[in-house]
Each structure stands twice: as structure tokens, then as C-alpha cells.
Amino acid sequence: VVSGCSSPTAQEMDAWTASIQGAVTAGAEKYAPEDLKKLNSQLAAANDEIKAQEGKFFKSYDKAKEMFAKVKADADAVKPTLAAKKDEAKKNAEAALGAAKAAIEEANAFLAKAPAGKDSRAELEAMKADVKGLADGLAEVDKLMASEDFAPAADKAKAIGEKASAVSAQVKQAMEKVAAAKTKTKKK
């Protein structure tokens, strides 16, 4: 009599799936998406192995069971790292938010000093409106931080900071241009 390894029981399947679900519940989607993607890929491969064995006359589920055991072990290993990854994501988001606020303050300071001629007045008002819009966008970053969506919060804060820095650079360049023109006029 030839018989292969028996198929995984429902309890085994539930335990393996619960292990991944435990990682998801612990925050893997937000703080370790690469790890979760890897776990889901491993789980799919293990399920594919079971399906492959079901189509055979002599079935052996040993490889599938090993694959599932590895998925469970990897999922269990991810859980303890999530707190540290969450803290790191929070720190990154806080740093990006701080940099964005500083960039907005700098842009406002440059705008306050910017030379306002008849040709540039409308452009300055547009830049001030842009910077105000960026400052208003910080409220959305705060909401993302409050809901612990740190990666999107960091991305949005970085984008705001970059746009505010671009405004500062533009105003600074205009100020240097005006200063250079005044220097030329004084030399004549």
C-alpha cells in the first residue's frame, strides 16, 4: 500500500492563516508592507503546492506543510518588529512635518522681505496664496499622524516642504536679482 502525507487539516490551515492575520492586525500593512507582501506571496505559493498535490494520484503534502510552517514562523517573526517600525515611521513623519513647517516659515519670511514692484506684485500675491495653501495642507498631515498613517503623512509633509522651499528659492533669486540691479545702478 502506497500512501502520501495527508493533507493539512482545517485547524492547521486556520493556524497558518491566523498567524498572518495576526501580523496584519498588529500593523504590518502600515509599518511593514514589504514583509506582509512577502508573507502573502509565501502563503499563495504554499496554497499552490496543495492544489498541485490534489491533482496527483500519489499525494505528498510534506512540502506544502513545510512552506506553511515557514510562513507561520516568518509571520510570527514580523510581529515583534512592528513596534520598532512604527516608531521609526512616526519619527520620520515627525521630522518631515517639522521640516515642512520650517520651510513654510522660511518661505513666509522671504515673501515678507520680497521686493514688490508693479510687475511682481501679482506674482508675489500668488506665491503668498500658494504658501498659505501649503500651510493649510499641514492640517491633513496632522490628521494622517493622528490616525497613525505615518508613511503617507511623511510623504505629504515632504511634498509640502519641497514646494515651500521652491517658493523660498524663487523669492531669494528675485531678491538677489533686484540687489544686483541696485548695485549696478549705484556704480553708474
Side-chain angles (χ1 to χ4, degrees), residues 25-135:
T25 302
E29 283 181 307
K30 286 183 182 179
Y31 312 116
E34 302 84 23
D35 293 336
L36 184 60
K37 184 177 177 181
K38 178 182 168 191
L39 290 171
N40 282 325
S41 177
Q42 289 174 320
L43 183 63
N47 281 322
D48 289 345
E49 176 63 22
I50 285 181
K51 288 177 187 166
Q53 291 303 316
E54 288 172 353
K56 294 181 178 179
F57 185 71
F58 295 107
K59 300 168 177 58
S60 174
Y61 293 96
D62 288 339
K63 183 177 178 186
K65 286 183 177 183
E66 287 174 19
M67 293 170 79
F68 278 116
K70 179 162 177 22
V71 171
K72 182 180 182 324
D74 289 351
D76 291 342
V78 166
K79 291 178 206 172
T81 67
L82 291 175
K85 289 182 180 191
K86 178 180 177 181
D87 288 342
E88 181 181 342
K90 183 177 181 180
K91 286 176 186 173
N92 290 340
E94 288 171 344
L97 180 59
K101 287 178 180 179
I104 288 172
E105 288 175 15
E106 180 183 51
N108 281 326
F110 275 119
L111 285 168
K113 297 178 197 174
K118 64 180 180 175
D119 296 337
S120 63
R121 191 165 286 127
E123 193 173 334
L124 281 173
E125 290 305 316
M127 285 186 213
K128 286 179 183 178
D130 287 346
V131 172
K132 183 182 180 328
L134 294 173

Side-chain angles (χ1 to χ4, degrees), residues 29-33 86 89-90 92-94 96-97 100 137-160:
E29 283 181 307
K30 286 183 182 179
Y31 312 116
K86 178 180 177 181
K90 183 177 181 180
N92 290 340
E94 288 171 344
L97 180 59
L138 292 177
E140 187 177 336
V141 174
D142 288 335
K143 285 180 187 175
L144 290 168
M145 294 285 290
S147 65
E148 296 186 347
D149 287 330
F150 299 124
D155 292 343
K156 184 151 184 74
K158 284 177 189 173
I160 289 171

